[in-house]
């Protein structure tokens, strides 16, 4: 009997970052012989971002392991309901319950250092007379809050090239929770100063995920890429068995 095809790994970045946050993970997965897709998430709204990622997933033939970092965890919670998604992997991420928003989940726990480092700026919304609000991290605070164990020169580049998150994304409620029906894995960044690690632990435990903890800053994919790859490969093996 032939083995099922190995899944494509889709890497979903989070807020204040872009797909380059997976720069140390992608080559390792490709060397392993896996197909990888790392889309640019608009970071405009949870509903819109999840719909965009879902549209990419639907066009991939065969099974998918969907990986989400940070806010990307909320995105895969919704987009992961696509039929060909066979596993979810959360990296220092939000595992929302159906009907729950980022603001509601975070509000159950003490603020991280991120709260005092955020900057809010208006941006024009096409077709509306009302401005939207972009949320980003103060560049001078970014290395310590977001990337404390990443090379400081790289952290400084990331700080000035970050992709903001529209405030709408904090308010949107998840219309579905894919982890309810899809095997899931979670990585807690135990030295995270962007998301309170207890937020990560709570979401993962509630979902009954296979969970590991890594002594890492929020950007665990850059500071501990092999640990991230190991967890993704665990999900890949489970899907391929």
């Amino acid at each position: 009997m032939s083995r099922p095809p190995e899944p494509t790994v889709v890497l979903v970045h989070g807020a204040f970052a872009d797909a380059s946050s997976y720069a140390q993970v992608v080559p390792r997965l490709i060397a392993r012989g896996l197909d990888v897709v790392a889309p640019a998430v608009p970071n405009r709204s949870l509903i819109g971002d999840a719909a965009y990622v879902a549209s990419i997933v639907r066009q991939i033939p065969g099974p998918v392991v969907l990986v989400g970092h940070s806010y990307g965890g909320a995105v895969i919670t919704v987009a992961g309901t696509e039929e060909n998604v066979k596993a979810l992997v959360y990296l220092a991420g939000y595992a929302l319950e159906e009907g729950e928003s980022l603001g509601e989940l975070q509000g159950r726990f003490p603020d991280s250092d991120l709260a005092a480092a955020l900057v809010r700026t208006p941006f024009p919304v096409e077709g509306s007379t009302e401005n939207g609000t972009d949320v980003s991290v103060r560049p001078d605070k970014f290395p310590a809050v977001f990337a404390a164990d990443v090379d400081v020169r790289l952290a400084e580049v990331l700080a000035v090239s970050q992709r903001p998150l529209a405030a709408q994304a904090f308010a949107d409620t998840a219309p579905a929770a894919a982890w309810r029906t899809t095997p899931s894995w979670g990585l807690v960044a135990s030295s995270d100063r962007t998301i309170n690690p207890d937020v990560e632990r709570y979401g993962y435990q509630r979902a009954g995920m296979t969970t590991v903890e890594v002594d890492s800053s929020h950007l665990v994919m850059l500071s501990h890429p092999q640990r991230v790859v190991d967890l993704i490969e665990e999900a890949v093996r489970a899907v391929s068995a």
Side-chain angles (χ1 to χ4, degrees), residues 24-25 28 149-150 187 214-217 219-229:
Q24 297 298 320
V25 170
R28 289 171 165 84
D149 52 0
V150 174
L187 184 151
V214 178
D215 183 11
S216 173
S217 73
L219 278 179
V220 63
M221 310 91 72
L222 286 171
S223 58
H224 299 277
Q226 192 56 52
R227 296 294 300 275
V228 169
V229 169

Side-chain angles (χ1 to χ4, degrees), residues 16 114 117-121 134-138 162-165:
F16 323 128
L114 176 69
L118 293 176
V119 178
R120 293 168 175 81
T121 54
D134 259 344
V135 181
S136 58
V137 183
R138 281 178 48 182
Q162 60 183 287
R163 194 181 190 111
L165 181 67

Side-chain angles (χ1 to χ4, degrees), residues 43-125:
N43 282 4
R44 299 295 81 189
S45 70
L46 175 58
I47 303 303
D49 293 339
Y52 176 71
V53 170
S55 74
I56 292 172
V57 168
R58 282 196 299 273
Q59 296 175 63
I60 296 173
V64 165
V65 169
L66 195 51
V67 181
H69 172 246
S70 188
Y71 165 67
V75 173
I76 70 169
T77 295
V78 179
T81 57
E82 288 300 312
E83 195 173 298
N84 58 331
V85 175
K86 303 304 179 184
L88 303 170
V89 180
Y90 291 78
L91 306 173
Y94 295 103
L96 298 179
E97 175 60 280
E98 183 176 347
E100 186 176 56
S101 70
L102 289 176
E104 288 171 337
L105 177 55
Q106 285 197 144
R108 297 192 182 105
F109 298 88
D111 284 342
S112 69
D113 293 347
L114 176 69
L118 293 176
V119 178
R120 293 168 175 81
T121 54
F123 69 88
V125 177

Side-chain angles (χ1 to χ4, degrees), residues 26-52:
V26 171
R28 289 171 165 84
L29 294 175
I30 291 174
R32 161 76 167 70
L34 292 167
D35 291 329
V36 180
V37 178
V41 182
N43 282 4
R44 299 295 81 189
S45 70
L46 175 58
I47 303 303
D49 293 339
Y52 176 71

